[in-house]
Amino acid sequence: MKTTLFFAAIGLCLTLSCQQNKEIPAEKEAVIPEKTAVPKTAEKPILNDAAAILARKEVPILCYHNIKDFSDSAGEMTKTYTVKPANFAEQMKALADAGYQSILPDQLYDYLVHNKPLPEKPVMITFDDTRGEQYSIGAAEMKKYNFKGVFFVMTVSINRPNYLSATEIKALSDSGHTIAAHTWDHHMVTKYTGEDWETQLVKPKAKLEATTGKPINYFAYPFGLWNKEAIPEIKKSGYKMAFILSTKRDSIDPLYTVRRMIVSGNWTSERMMEAMEATFKNTK
């Protein structure tokens, strides 16, 4: 009898022990600590030198001025610097149909300096001299294809008749276009002395920044004319890149001699496409 009671007591103890083990809350069970994540070493950004920048394939950059109708008897300067609205519309459609995607200067800078990728067929669409139809016709036509452009503003003309108003400039900036500087009064850079640098580079930048509420990092030379003396002043004024026309680039500061191509009013959309692809075909 004593033996039976002994084994019964042992059995009761084992049963209670098992029940207690099952009732241990999950949070009190042994937890295997996770491995501490080892932080990855930050990759150093690529910073291309002048030779590497020049070795990058050039991106097609179109330069427009006036977008308005003109007669067959118009002078050659008018025909060169003015594209009819119907032709501009055809050219935007031709770019879209060919698979081109618009890019902006920030993307171009990252491509040239940091080897960042661009769309397969990039194009930059730029406008000089602050003409009002660049907003009413140019931006409106580009919107159909989700194109964004770069508007190089000559600040003396802001709010004048037939030129962009401060409100329109702000609206362009707010809708994703880039606003950039084109001097105060289109005085050519190669003739600057003394206070001209402040008047033509620094003050326009400040005025456009106040108008848009954004940094103004890019500049276009009036008439596309530049010299080596201007580049240090443009850098000192806080610009990251400067744009010329289809002339030779500087081997030391290629970021301050980025090429563009004027779109002539004499061209059809087919001729414009041919000229663009020939001008920027595999060029370095």
Side-chain angles (χ1 to χ4, degrees), residues 105-106 109 152 178-181 216-220 239-243:
D106 283 345
Y109 182 88
F152 288 103
T178 294
I179 302 301
I216 301 299
N217 294 321
Y218 305 103
F219 174 82
Y239 297 100
K240 294 169 62 175
M241 282 195 306
F243 294 78

Side-chain angles (χ1 to χ4, degrees), residues 69-217:
D69 286 310
F70 57 88
S71 66
D72 292 339
S73 61
E76 283 306 309
M77 286 292 288
T78 296
K79 291 179 178 179
T80 297
Y81 288 94
T82 306
V83 174
K84 293 180 178 180
N87 286 351
F88 182 82
E90 290 176 3
Q91 290 166 11
M92 295 301 102
K93 185 177 186 302
L95 288 169
D97 289 348
Y100 281 94
Q101 293 178 259
S102 65
I103 68 164
L104 294 174
D106 283 345
Q107 292 169 274
L108 181 63
Y109 182 88
D110 285 342
Y111 164 76
L112 293 173
V113 177
H114 303 300
N115 291 349
K116 295 290 182 66
L118 291 176
E120 184 178 353
K121 296 183 76 171
V123 64
M124 189 181 293
I125 304 166
T126 72
F127 300 87
D128 285 7
D129 298 354
T130 331
R131 297 289 181 176
E133 67 268 15
Q134 296 171 2
Y135 176 85
S136 59
I137 299 174
E141 198 62 41
M142 288 193 296
K143 187 176 181 180
K144 296 178 182 178
Y145 308 102
N146 198 31
F147 288 163
K148 300 297 182 184
V150 188
F151 294 80
F152 288 103
V153 175
M154 183 173 59
T155 52
V156 70
S157 61
I158 297 174
N159 293 327
R160 288 186 176 182
N162 302 320
Y163 288 90
L164 293 173
S165 67
T167 300
E168 289 169 336
I169 291 169
K170 179 71 162 61
L172 287 168
S173 177
D174 288 347
S175 60
H177 300 281
T178 294
I179 302 301
H182 196 40
T183 74
W184 176 60
D185 65 352
H186 214 263
H187 187 57
M188 66 178 65
V189 167
T190 53
K191 296 184 180 297
Y192 289 0
T193 60
E195 293 299 314
D196 288 336
W197 303 108
E198 178 79 13
T199 301
Q200 303 290 350
L201 298 179
V202 178
K203 289 182 178 180
K205 186 177 190 295
K207 183 176 181 65
L208 291 172
E209 288 177 341
T211 301
T212 63
K214 297 176 183 177
I216 301 299
N217 294 321

Side-chain angles (χ1 to χ4, degrees), residues 22-69:
K22 288 179 182 179
E23 292 171 1
I24 294 175
E27 62 268 24
K28 292 185 179 180
E29 293 179 355
V31 177
I32 300 174
E34 296 181 359
K35 293 182 178 179
T36 304
V38 179
K40 294 182 179 179
T41 304
E43 294 182 4
K44 292 183 179 180
I46 295 170
L47 191 64
N48 286 332
D49 60 13
I53 290 170
L54 286 167
R56 304 289 280 163
K57 187 180 184 301
E58 283 187 286
V59 170
I61 305 179
L62 304 178
C63 176
Y64 290 94
H65 290 79
N66 305 320
I67 308 173
K68 63 182 181 180
D69 286 310

Side-chain angles (χ1 to χ4, degrees), residues 248-266:
K248 188 176 180 181
R249 301 173 71 188
D250 185 66
S251 61
I252 299 173
D253 285 300
L255 287 178
Y256 292 86
T257 51
V258 178
R259 296 196 321 140
R260 300 185 295 160
M261 181 190 82
I262 291 178
V263 179
S264 171
N266 294 307

